[in-house]
Amino acid sequence: MGEDIIDMIEGEFTHTIYRSDSYMVSKFQTAEGPITVTGPSFDYEKGQKYILTGNYVEHPRYGFQFSMLTIEKYLPSQKEEILSFLKGKTFPGIGKKAAEKIYEHFGSETLSILKEDPSRILELDLTNKQLASLQEGFEKMNDPENEILFHLVSNGFNNNDAQRIFARFKLATIEVGEDNPFRFYSEVYGISFEKVKRYAEKIDFDDPQNKYCEAYLVYLLTEMTFNSGDMYVEKKDLKLYLDRIGGMDNLEEILERCVERKYLYLDEDRVYLYSDYMDEKFIADFMKSYQRDMHLEEEYIKEGIENNENANSIEYDEKQKEAISSFFRNDLSIIVGGPGTGKTTIVKAMADIFKTYFPYSNLMVVAPTGRAAKRINEICDVESKTIHSLLRWNKESNLFAFDIDNPLIYDAIIIDEFSMVDNSLFAALLKACGRVQKICIIGDDNQLPSIRPGNLLEDLITSERFPVIKLDLNYRQSKGNEIISLANDIINEDVDLKRYRNDVCFYEPMRSDFDLISLIKEDMKEGYTLDDIQILAPMYKGEWGIDNLNLLLQNTFNPASFDRKERKSGKYTFREGDKILQLKNRPTEDVYNGDIGVLEDIDLKEKSLMVNYGGVYVFYELDDLSDISLAYALSVHKSQGSEYPIVYFVYNRNNYHMLNRNLIYTAITRAKKKLVIIGDRGLMAEGLKRSLRKRKTGLLRRFSYDS
């Protein structure tokens, strides 16, 4: 800071004026009167006095303020202040009489003595409960965690980031930062590279250039694999990219250091993130060696299918019978099929037959999203959970309670909506499946692959190591559902949009009198609600991007009103009554990435929001608002695993590079009753000619290795 003058004030925290993830405006009461204090977000205690250092500033709009740099709790030294402090909420059970006794023993140095050595409270003649209260209170005051957390939030991290970093490094956090701050990025889940970079620029540490390059290489690999979906980057492509943006002279040396630290893994000329390599290797090793002995005799399989048909007044087609039989014949089986082919129907059959012939064993159906798991539970009357919930994921540490050392106790697991499952999540599930006797994978091989890197379903099918049953008879199509006909035409590469007149509508905005809002209102006149209608688009930006569509629909169907409270956060203003999308998994609250709810209440005093996810109520504080978004319009990827009565698929020329056969197929198969396509026919035709680029993975190569 050089020669800048540092000021100091003593003040009592009264209330918060504004708070974001990293910035806070608060009101403090000082001897000279109230003052506005600005600085990093921090959990102040109401009524507590603090000593603040910083600078007085004159804000052009908000006037005289104090820009805070450091903070510590104020310890009073006057008798009345000490007595008041001891009777406060920090020490429950300490009343006036006990406070007087403590002061008489230690005098004006009471607080500094006990803060320095809490064990000296044993000198006092107090009850055990009072002694415990005093010891706990003073130990908390000495807790270095607060100092570490404040150090982190004072240097650009928000409270959630600071908690994650502290959870990883504990009391060594500051020492780790002074040695290599980039470990906060490389070793802590969910921490932004840019935030760590800004933090590193504020402190001194040895060999900053090389340590920065290590972290940047990890960051670059993370970005490149996430954007491409590839499991690795070839070294030559990595070097070419680095050369385009300025190069990295000592790439080989930095790469070697990253490999030594197990941040990256070098497989010949393929550069992996270390965790991605280990996940891919584990999947291959586990599945190659997976052999169990929980099979059902053929006569019982046939008997079970016939009994199930009679009990449910249903007749399975031959492929469905083959799929059910494959589950009971094989340790690991794969079943694929599009919407309407009866995948959920056979899950119910497999579960029913399993219960009959294995009455003392248990079966679990899992899915990557809460909506998919809930649908299975409702239709099949079988226990179902998300994979994260089953494994008891901890979002702070990114670890699972169930793993190799603590395996699941289920005998059979069926994984639905498998096209959405990425390598990392599948590896985590398999690590917990050491006792599982039977695994069945179910999915739609024409949908988009997972958002995160990997191409699991296609790789497993292509390997030809596992029995694969493809359901090809579509029951919805046989009932005249044009949406299913279009889906099949896409698969067969024979699409003519002029064939469709009823369930599928096509509008070209540039060539017709088109009004999206009017079309939606017409559907609502037919009895549909906004919950029944979902807008899907390929991209977030642009005139027809998800962001603009969300604002358009919010302002139309849930406009600002004096009787609706609202709260701005980032690019959106959240308003009571809004349709809300959950962006991150919260397994402890049974809410997951992709779940949709309604914002029912905003408490401006407590600065919290409450969202109802179909009867599951979740509260969000200000630090949590980055976990949600508006849900009037969604990306096609976010819609996977869900179906809606009506889908509007919106695209334009700005989305052209995103359009491909898999994305279009995924979008249109989200609709159950009505599909409205809004865009240029020529662009749609061009998109349908393009296959999704095949992702680079090593799974097939690993399957070819000797066991």
Side-chain angles (χ1 to χ4, degrees), residues 69 156 259 346 354-355 365 396 475 500 632 660 682:
L69 294 173
V259 170
I346 64 169
F354 186 91
K355 291 175 189 176
V365 181
E396 300 301 329
Y475 292 91
Y500 309 108
Y632 301 101
N660 58 67

Side-chain angles (χ1 to χ4, degrees), residues 296-308:
L296 195 60
E297 298 295 332
E298 290 296 327
E299 60 180 296
Y300 295 125
I301 295 175
K302 184 178 179 182
E303 177 185 79
I305 292 174
E306 290 175 354
N307 291 340
N308 194 265

Side-chain angles (χ1 to χ4, degrees), residues 105 118 152 162 167 188 238 256 296 303 306 356 361 405 450 452 454 464 467 470 517 539 545 683 695:
H105 187 77
L152 294 171
V188 184
L238 179 61
E256 184 177 339
L296 195 60
E303 177 185 79
E306 290 175 354
T356 300
S361 300
D405 299 319
S450 59
R452 293 192 74 252
E464 298 184 347
K470 190 171 184 66
I517 299 300
M539 290 178 62
L683 291 179
R695 294 178 170 186

Side-chain angles (χ1 to χ4, degrees), residues 495-607:
V495 176
D496 181 357
L497 293 173
K498 295 177 182 178
R499 294 175 188 158
Y500 309 108
R501 295 285 186 272
N502 300 311
D503 306 325
V504 179
C505 308
F506 202 105
Y507 293 90
E508 294 185 273
M510 302 301 292
R511 302 182 187 180
S512 62
D513 183 16
F514 164 76
D515 182 355
L516 174 63
I517 299 300
S518 295
L519 291 175
I520 293 173
K521 286 181 176 178
E522 286 298 317
D523 288 330
M524 295 176 77
K525 287 179 183 178
E526 297 294 320
Y528 292 103
T529 68
L530 281 179
D531 289 338
D532 301 320
I533 301 168
Q534 189 59 59
I535 315 299
L536 302 181
M539 290 178 62
Y540 284 87
K541 304 301 180 185
E543 180 185 2
W544 288 107
I546 294 161
D547 291 341
N548 273 353
L549 289 168
N550 265 320
L551 293 175
L552 172 67
L553 270 71
Q554 182 194 45
N555 291 333
T556 302
F557 296 105
N558 193 34
S561 169
F562 72 91
D563 61 346
R564 291 192 192 104
K565 296 190 289 292
E566 58 183 43
R567 181 80 196 190
K568 181 170 176 56
S569 177
K571 61 190 174 185
Y572 291 135
T573 295
F574 296 107
R575 190 172 296 139
E576 289 177 339
D578 273 337
K579 192 173 179 181
I580 296 295
L581 173 70
Q582 176 68 22
L583 299 174
K584 298 180 181 179
N585 292 317
R586 285 189 170 203
T588 55
E589 295 167 286
D590 201 26
V591 174
Y592 299 88
N593 180 7
D595 283 352
I596 293 177
V598 176
L599 203 172
E600 292 197 352
D601 181 64
I602 297 178
D603 190 327
L604 295 175
K605 183 178 180 181
E606 296 295 329
K607 303 217 172 15

Side-chain angles (χ1 to χ4, degrees), residues 7 21 251 691 706-707:
D7 296 303
D21 284 352
L251 174 60
S691 296
D706 292 335
S707 300

Side-chain angles (χ1 to χ4, degrees), residues 22-24 38-42 44 68-69 150 153-157:
S22 57
Y23 181 72
M24 190 171 185
T38 64
S41 289
F42 196 67
Y44 300 109
M68 181 264 292
L69 294 173
F150 188 76
V153 299
S154 299
N155 286 285
F157 297 104

